[in-house]
Amino acid sequence: DTEVTQTPKHLVMGMTNKKSLKCEQHMGHRAMYWYKQKAKKPPELMFVYSYEKLSINESVPSRFSPECPNSSLLNLHLHALQPEDSALYLCASSRGDKTVDQGQPQHFGDGTRLSIL
Amino acid sequence: AQSVTQLDSQVPVFEEAPVELRCNYSSSVSVYLFWYVQYPNQGLQLLLKYLSGSTLVKGINGFEAEFNKSQTSFHLRKPSVHISDTAEYFCAVFSNDYKLSFGAGTTVTVRA
């Protein structure tokens, strides 16, 4: 069982829809991440939140909008997506203290498989 | 920038045979290395990590890896695989600012 919970597991949406992906962890971690993973490829980092503040945005298109309402929750709001955005979206968390976090592993959820029609 | 290279994209292996997955890294500073496994339709699960200390690292499910600084390698091994070890395996190095650099992945297929 994973300690990072993502909902929904599957999502099919049209290009004009607005939807949100949700991620929750209760390990007391203060860093949370969104990754995009295409089939047979490694995960690609999209966003990093540290202590509920956005610290890294890997030049992700504005149709993806992250939100961190509190230390346990991470959302990814989706709007006007393109077919090439179809992928597995993974959430992860880690302890989050930069001074000691080097080497602390990231814990991943099982992902949301997103299909854009 | 730190990076990793996984030398084998696919590794077919028979059940109960040993397996080795090769990973080389490039880094000029302290190295923190990880192996993750991804089973079909799941997220990534940490197998093991190297932070410091003993160069032989033992992980879950009978896997182990050896950190070799002179060869800049961190190869993953298991002495006897099961059908359930069929999965994608990723080597990763901790970069900075929370970034993990992943290798391209190795697909392990275990056959009876």
Side-chain angles (χ1 to χ4, degrees):
Chain A
D1 287 338
T2 181
E3 296 167 313
V4 177
T5 304
Q6 292 187 242
T7 55
K9 293 192 183 305
H10 303 275
L11 180 61
V12 179
M13 56 187 288
M15 289 190 283
T16 58
N17 292 157
K18 285 185 182 180
K19 296 285 185 182
S20 297
L21 308 185
K22 296 186 185 302
C23 174
E24 189 169 4
Q25 57 87 15
H26 293 289
M27 294 179 282
H29 289 173
R30 303 307 296 272
M32 296 186 76
Y33 312 75
W34 280 116
Y35 288 88
K36 174 183 178 181
Q37 187 182 26
K38 290 285 207 179
K40 299 296 185 185
K41 297 290 186 184
E44 298 172 20
L45 184 65
M46 300 174 71
F47 303 104
V48 180
Y49 273 83
S50 174
Y51 291 82
E52 295 91 68
K53 287 184 170 38
L54 183 65
S55 62
I56 295 176
N57 177 339
E58 292 287 90
S59 303
V60 179
S62 59
R63 57 185 184 268
F64 294 91
S65 175
E67 178 196 20
C68 190
N70 59 56
S71 60
S72 300
L73 292 174
L74 185 67
N75 298 321
L76 186 63
H77 303 298
L78 315 173
H79 174 55
L81 294 193
Q82 304 298 308
E84 61 265 27
D85 297 323
S86 297
L88 180 68
Y89 287 84
L90 293 164
C91 175
S93 69
S94 68
R95 277 173 46 180
D97 184 333
K98 228 180 195 183
T99 59
V100 299
D101 208 41
Q102 290 194 22
Q104 293 303 316
Q106 294 180 15
H107 298 256
F108 286 81
D110 281 338
T112 294
R113 190 162 299 281
L114 177 65
S115 298
I116 306 299
L117 301 179
Chain B
Q2 304 192 44
S3 66
V4 293
T5 301
Q6 292 183 243
L7 300 167
D8 308 291
S9 60
Q10 298 195 39
V11 174
V13 58
F14 286 106
E15 193 175 20
E16 298 183 9
V19 71
E20 178 180 78
L21 308 184
R22 296 179 294 167
C23 173
N24 285 95
Y25 67 91
S26 64
S27 171
S28 58
V29 295
S30 298
V31 177
Y32 306 100
L33 292 157
F34 307 86
W35 275 100
Y36 283 89
V37 61
Q38 187 172 30
Y39 299 106
N41 300 313
Q42 292 187 24
L44 276 69
Q45 181 180 2
L46 181 70
L47 278 176
L48 47 78
K49 62 184 179 183
Y50 173 78
L51 305 181
S52 63
S54 172
T55 57
L56 184 62
V57 181
K58 292 194 182 296
I60 62 171
N61 302 341
F63 284 92
E64 63 181 30
E66 184 153 19
F67 172 69
N68 188 318
K69 189 174 181 179
S70 62
Q71 297 187 8
T72 61
S73 67
F74 189 55
H75 300 335
L76 180 72
R77 302 184 183 97
K78 184 169 182 178
S80 176
V81 296
H82 301 131
I83 298 288
S84 58
D85 291 320
T86 293
E88 191 78 13
Y89 292 79
F90 292 101
C91 183
V93 62
F94 184 87
S95 182
N96 50 33
D97 290 336
Y98 303 105
K99 290 186 181 181
L100 273 180
S101 294
F102 288 95
T106 298
T107 302
V108 172
T109 304
V110 181
R111 300 188 175 116

